[in-house]
Amino acid sequence: MNDDAPLIQAVGRRKTYGAFTAVDGIDVEVAPGESFGFLGPNGAGKTSTMRIIACTSPATGGTVRVLGMDPATDASRIKAQLGVVPQEDTLDNDLTVTENLLVYGRYFGLPRATVRERAAELLEFAQLVDKRDELVENLSGGMKRRLTIARGLINTPRILLLDEPTTGLDPQARHILWDRLFRLKREGVTLVLTTHYMDEAEQLCDRLVVMDSGRIVAEGSPRALIREHASREVLELRFDVADHAERADDVAGIGRVEVLADRLLLYVEDGDAALEQVTARGVHPMSSLVRRASLEDVFLRLTGRSLIE
Amino acid sequence: MSAPTVTARRSRPRLPFPIAFAMPLALVERNARAGKHYWLTIVSGFFEPVFYLFAMGVGIGALVGTVEVDGRALPYAVFVAPALMATSAMNGAVYDSTQNVFWKLRFAKLYDTVLSTPMRPVDVAVGEISWALLRGLLYSTAFLAVAWAAGFVTSPWALLAIPACTLIGLAFASVGMAVTTWMTSWTHLEYVQLALLPMFLFSATFFPLSTYPEGLQWVVRATPLYHGVDLVRGLMTGDLHAGLLVHVAYLLVLGAVGVAVTARRIERLLLS
């Protein structure tokens, strides 16, 4: 396998559980050094997709190659070169912070001396040197997540899989985590992550696919997706009405209108100019906001639904 | 990346020789490290069979006197000590492979984590069972030393009772772990006790098999603990005969079946 060959390749990948189809024919390709994201709401099939790549769940259809190998026959060999950061905290609560790293490294069959050396580096990286001898149950949520990422790096993986890396963390902890992931990205680690946070996808992903109900509905870089499926700016308008659909006609023709439960969204090139047009028509919203279009808007456009309900 | 040097001929992944054998040991190492944080619990496991030994052997033994087994009259303590040693091997193995494994499987999600590494389901099964056996080895050795010091051991063949107890541990730990994979609530663990208690009481532990009517004797002979007890008793009293090999075979088969079923079940539960 040469250096530019895709690390992950999937064609028509499917995953069904009985009558339920979690992943319905997905084609993706991830290149070395790339930071690739699966974006979608809960239940979109992101975790199922990650499990297939991680070789912990066989695909029920299609072909998958990870690092050029087939998960069905070479699972252990693939796993030896993957780092996995699961969505739930799965740290070993019977062990200390350092022991979690040492023991996990041993699951890869790495020699003790190698694991010790690597663990020391990773404690630095995860900013957990002070906590090295604490039992993990005494760590905060952010620290646990950093330790889980450090653990996933113990075998110096070629691909790091992150399933919802910052879900449940407070804003400060998220930023520390993003900072660590940026560092990995700069060092050339291939990141594959799932998220339902737009800002996270925009911050971390070079390229992403938007998933909905087990299918890919769009693919591209965050900027390209926004350019293609949204406008430059969005004007948000709130009115004092029970149903915002009643006011949609009042702003028709200025830009594409999206009706949400609590506001109207106008997709326009210039938000301030659009607001002037609205007021010139004698329409006076209770409040208004001009912002840059985001992946949230892309998702809304593609699926007709908000990402976080 | 260079092309894989070992071509997989079977569907299962083949790892290079030293790694393939070291894999289950990683889990043993994990348990040993975790054990350091609750060593007192581990040490306490030694006392129960020793208490039984003195209560039964010395206390009840004074009332019973001797027991007639296959034409030999044995002091009650000598008769009962091997049975208690075999039973403690069973209990220890079952405790580790049911309670502890249930917790790790359903709540701590330890095996989900382990299986995201190159470790395979069979490594998990072998690793957990090996740990139960190592812990049991500690207890068996200590128990034998105490029984020897108390004068309840009459033959040097008794040293073989230690590996015999490891074999009992293998049979019970592997079946225990296999059964645990079907459990979904703590109440299910109570059923394990329900199965163990009658075995503990009636597997020719406290009175010889000849006490039972012919038909019941065959029921007792079918239970795994009976084979364990009779094996250990034969060794500890120096009564060696070919029948002991049947016990060894019985326990080995049970152990092998248990490991195979456990590995399959873990694969189905966690890699689907």
Side-chain angles (χ1 to χ4, degrees), chain A residues 107-231:
Chain A
Y107 295 150
F108 287 87
L110 299 171
R112 273 193 195 83
T114 311
V115 173
R116 255 199 307 274
E117 200 177 304
R118 187 89 183 119
E121 291 166 17
L122 289 169
L123 284 173
E124 291 274 353
F125 168 79
Q127 297 162 306
L128 288 169
V129 177
D130 299 345
K131 302 281 178 186
R132 59 189 311 151
D133 296 321
E134 292 269 354
L135 282 172
V136 292
E137 58 188 10
N138 300 330
L139 300 185
S140 72
M143 290 174 183
K144 281 185 184 175
R145 201 57 64 89
R146 292 201 310 267
L147 179 57
T148 308
I149 292 174
R151 188 182 70 172
L153 292 167
I154 195 88
N155 57 329
T156 330
R158 298 185 64 197
I159 308 174
L160 185 65
L161 303 173
L162 301 131
D163 196 2
E164 305 269 351
T166 63
T167 297
L169 298 186
D170 60 61
Q172 197 197 351
R174 289 181 80 195
H175 281 282
I176 296 176
L177 206 74
W178 283 349
D179 171 64
R180 299 291 97 179
L181 293 176
F182 266 131
R183 264 188 55 177
L184 290 176
K185 197 161 131 43
R186 269 208 312 275
E187 288 165 16
V189 178
T190 304
L191 303 180
V192 176
L193 59 108
T194 73
T195 182
H196 60 245
Y197 294 122
M198 300 302 147
D199 49 350
E200 187 157 283
E202 290 181 51
Q203 290 259 3
L204 293 177
C205 299
D206 301 326
R207 203 159 59 85
L208 56 92
V209 291
V210 180
M211 288 186 73
D212 188 39
S213 312
R215 294 180 161 280
I216 291 177
V217 290
E219 176 176 356
S221 71
R223 287 182 60 184
L225 284 171
I226 292 167
R227 206 167 43 231
E228 193 178 333
H229 300 284
S231 52

Side-chain angles (χ1 to χ4, degrees), chain B residues 144-163:
Chain B
L144 189 67
V146 171
W148 199 307
F152 302 153
V153 179
T154 54
S155 161
W157 287 107
L159 276 178
L160 284 182
I162 294 173

Side-chain angles (χ1 to χ4, degrees), chain A residues 198-276:
Chain A
M198 300 302 147
D199 49 350
E200 187 157 283
E202 290 181 51
Q203 290 259 3
L204 293 177
C205 299
D206 301 326
R207 203 159 59 85
L208 56 92
V209 291
V210 180
M211 288 186 73
D212 188 39
S213 312
R215 294 180 161 280
I216 291 177
V217 290
E219 176 176 356
S221 71
R223 287 182 60 184
L225 284 171
I226 292 167
R227 206 167 43 231
E228 193 178 333
H229 300 284
S231 52
R232 203 170 70 87
E233 292 190 335
V234 182
L235 171 62
E236 298 198 359
L237 301 172
R238 284 171 202 267
F239 293 93
D240 187 16
V241 289
D243 182 1
H244 275 76
E246 301 170 9
R247 309 302 300 261
D249 286 345
D250 296 352
V251 296
I254 299 174
R256 188 167 61 79
V257 184
E258 197 76 58
V259 182
L260 298 187
D262 60 343
R263 58 193 193 256
L264 293 179
L265 303 182
L266 260 73
Y267 290 94
V268 293
E269 283 309 300
D270 183 341
D272 291 317
L275 184 57
E276 274 172 34

Side-chain angles (χ1 to χ4, degrees), chain A residues 76 79 92 94 99 106-107, chain B residues 23 29-30 37 115 118:
Chain A
S76 286
K79 287 172 181 175
D92 198 326
D94 293 336
E99 283 176 330
R106 299 288 290 154
Y107 295 150
Chain B
M23 293 319 262
E29 190 177 328
R30 181 261 163 212
H37 300 285
L115 291 175

